[in-house]
Amino acid sequence: MAGGRQRYNPRVRQGGSRAMGLRPGGVIAGVLRVPGSKSLAQRALVCASLAEGATEIAGLPDGDDAGAALTLVEAAGARVERLSPGAVRVTGRPPGPDRGWSAKAPVSAGESGTLARLATAALALCGEGGPWHELRGEGTLLRRRSPPLFDALAGVGVGIEWLSEAGGWPVRLRAIRRPDQVDLRNPVSSQEVSALLVALAAHPGETVLFVHGEIPSRPYVDLTRNVLEHFRITVGRKNVAWGEAFAVIGPLRPWPHPLVIEPDASAAAVALAAACLSGGEVVVPCLFATSPQGDVRILEHLARFGCRAWSDREGLHAADPPTRGADLDLSGEPDLAPVLAAVAARAAIGAGGSSRLTGLGTLAGKESDRIGVLARGLSAVGLEAVGGADWLEIRPGRTGRGSAEVRLEPARDHRMAFAFALLGLAVEGVWVADPGCVAKSWPGFWRDLEGLGARVVRQD
């Protein structure tokens, strides 16, 4: 990218701390501007890189996942110009005879499952024909798989060579011309649907994506359709006996005005929960309950715990500690489970309430086995936490806490680090190991909360 990209590294900027934590007693209050949505940013960057002409994108977050997307689309042949911090102009490389994405050297999706699936479909269906394209991953992504997506691509003739026994990434792909239809069977992630919709939308003419079975975390597909609208694509949808059919008519064409990435609703959920757990009040500006991001339902879920949470013309607000447990179905927004587990812990300690979170079937395939990691962390502080394949229950323990101090391992997962940091607002002595893993989505997390009054402690 022109001018290079400077990455925020919490290990450097925060003294290389081995562990960090939040402590009870600091009231978190005020206006907090969270990073832009990495989910929107990655979709927008891939769409722009496959579109005809140039797209200006503003509000990009400075996290590792967005940085990986910028690096990948440039390596695949798109032209990326840096206009200002958080703003770029991307000139696309749309598919067609003797053109399309061209990964002459291996490209990497970093640790992002969303980007890995988007890039897999783009290389397979929008890459230059003939040569093999190699897509790599890093860290936790190397353990993740996506059999329905690869099966769908193989079913239309894409060449696939796995470079590990896991059957995921790294992988080599040989592209084909646009198929008339693609069949995706029993998706394990909404990202598989999104990846195919974006890749098919890059081609002129109509293609139909048939999805056999239920789509997990459906709001993320709606989020993808929202991004596609910024590139003049309307996705038709209808129910059929065995699933759904999506009709996509391309190509991708940007509007002349910039595409502005709105604040990240997942990060906003962390900030709003921090306000409730600390007895403060936080507003996240420029994000509203009408957002296409499913995680804005954090307002509804916090209210179920007895917190105050609302949206107005300023943005999203939350205040007041939880007063009761709650039974929540998070099938549409499972990434909220870590945040709400911390809220449930506070409800168990402060109000004696039990909580049950369901609809978590996709969490085992994320950066970590999130149900298991959460259950172990909650148990370590003295709560009763039991998890199953798609659920987690949090109940009061005998003391509501464990030993004087406890060090919790987030398993290199940014959302686990956020959850354990929030847990420290309810339980004295919680340390979060590997605090720098928050750089995946919110590099300034610790600094930003400290600026609003949080008691941040460091263990060097």
Side-chain angles (χ1 to χ4, degrees):
M1 187 174 83
R5 180 176 175 84
Q6 298 296 317
R7 299 263 187 95
Y8 175 83
N9 186 337
R11 292 179 179 83
V12 174
R13 296 195 188 185
Q14 303 198 36
S17 301
R18 292 185 295 111
M20 299 179 69
L22 303 180
R23 292 290 181 263
V27 176
I28 299 170
V31 177
L32 181 55
R33 297 185 180 277
V34 301
S37 166
K38 70 182 185 69
S39 295
L40 286 169
Q42 290 183 317
R43 287 162 170 79
L45 287 168
V46 172
C47 284
S49 73
L50 295 170
E52 298 178 346
T55 306
E56 290 190 13
I57 304 174
L60 290 172
D62 189 27
D64 289 348
D65 280 3
L70 276 169
T71 300
L72 189 150
V73 300
E74 188 173 27
R79 182 185 178 193
V80 179
E81 304 169 79
R82 185 165 187 151
L83 305 177
S84 63
V88 296
R89 180 185 293 112
V90 179
T91 302
R93 191 181 176 94
D98 302 318
R99 65 176 187 169
W101 269 21
S102 179
K104 300 185 184 303
V107 296
S108 175
E111 286 194 87
S112 172
T114 300
L115 181 59
R117 292 181 173 105
L118 288 170
T120 294
L123 287 168
L125 301 177
C126 305
E128 285 188 352
W132 288 86
H133 307 285
E134 184 174 329
L135 176 61
R136 297 178 177 176
E138 300 172 11
T140 58
L141 181 61
L142 301 178
R143 302 193 299 268
R144 300 170 72 176
R145 301 174 66 247
S146 195
L149 175 60
F150 285 112
D151 288 346
L153 295 172
V156 294
V158 173
I160 301 173
E161 289 184 355
W162 284 283
L163 302 179
S164 72
E165 295 182 359
W169 298 276
V171 66
R172 297 179 73 228
L173 302 156
R174 186 156 59 189
I176 62 164
R177 292 185 178 180
R178 177 182 69 88
D180 292 328
Q181 74 174 58
V182 178
D183 289 88
L184 177 67
R185 300 180 185 278
N186 301 314
V188 297
S189 169
S190 64
Q191 296 165 2
E192 295 168 332
V193 181
S194 293
L196 291 169
L197 290 177
V198 168
L200 295 175
H203 291 272
E206 179 176 289
T207 313
V208 180
L209 170 63
F210 292 105
V211 180
H212 303 252
E214 186 176 352
I215 299 175
S217 307
R218 171 173 295 281
Y220 285 98
V221 175
D222 297 333
L223 186 70
T224 301
R225 295 171 68 183
N226 180 270
V227 173
L228 288 171
E229 289 178 2
H230 286 276
F231 292 86
R232 311 190 199 194
I233 301 292
T234 299
V235 179
R237 173 194 166 277
K238 66 177 181 179
N239 291 324
V240 291
W242 33 260
E244 299 174 60
F246 296 88
V248 185
I249 302 176
L252 296 163
R253 293 172 297 146
W255 293 102
H257 50 79
L259 193 167
V260 180
I261 305 299
E262 69 180 19
D264 190 277
S266 300
V270 177
L272 297 172
C276 295
L277 295 175
S278 69
E281 180 179 327
V282 161
V283 56
V284 177
C286 305
L287 184 63
F288 308 97
T290 54
S291 167
Q293 298 181 70
D295 283 1
V296 295
R297 287 192 68 199
I298 185 65
L299 300 180
E300 173 187 330
H301 298 314
L302 287 174
R304 293 281 298 278
F305 282 103
C307 306
R308 287 191 300 129
W310 69 99
S311 175
D312 61 20
R313 61 185 180 182
E314 289 183 292
L316 303 185
H317 300 249
D320 296 347
T323 59
R324 56 182 179 265
D327 290 346
L328 305 176
D329 178 2
L330 303 180
S331 54
E333 50 283 340
D335 284 344
L336 289 181
V339 171
L340 292 169
V343 178
R346 177 67 172 81
I349 295 168
S354 296
S355 299
R356 181 179 174 88
L357 311 180
T358 60
L360 312 183
T362 62
L363 294 192
K366 299 287 187 176
E367 287 87 338
S368 69
D369 175 9
R370 287 180 175 165
I371 296 176
V373 175
L374 284 170
R376 288 192 294 274
L378 293 166
S379 297
V381 300
L383 294 166
E384 292 187 16
V386 182
D390 64 351
W391 56 271
L392 177 66
E393 289 186 357
I394 302 102
R395 299 186 288 268
R398 284 179 293 180
T399 63
R401 57 174 297 164
S403 60
E405 290 193 349
V406 60
R407 181 186 178 95
L408 301 181
E409 295 286 344
R412 298 184 62 179
D413 188 336
H414 60 138
R415 299 202 192 280
M416 297 298 96
F418 295 140
F420 293 156
L422 292 175
L423 190 58
L425 295 172
V427 181
E428 187 70 55
V430 174
W431 291 97
V432 182
D434 189 23
C437 71
V438 298
K440 182 178 176 69
S441 60
W442 190 352
F445 166 72
W446 301 100
R447 176 193 61 216
D448 290 347
L449 262 65
E450 189 170 34
L452 289 188
R455 291 179 56 207
V456 178
V457 291
R458 298 165 174 81
Q459 189 178 74
D460 297 325

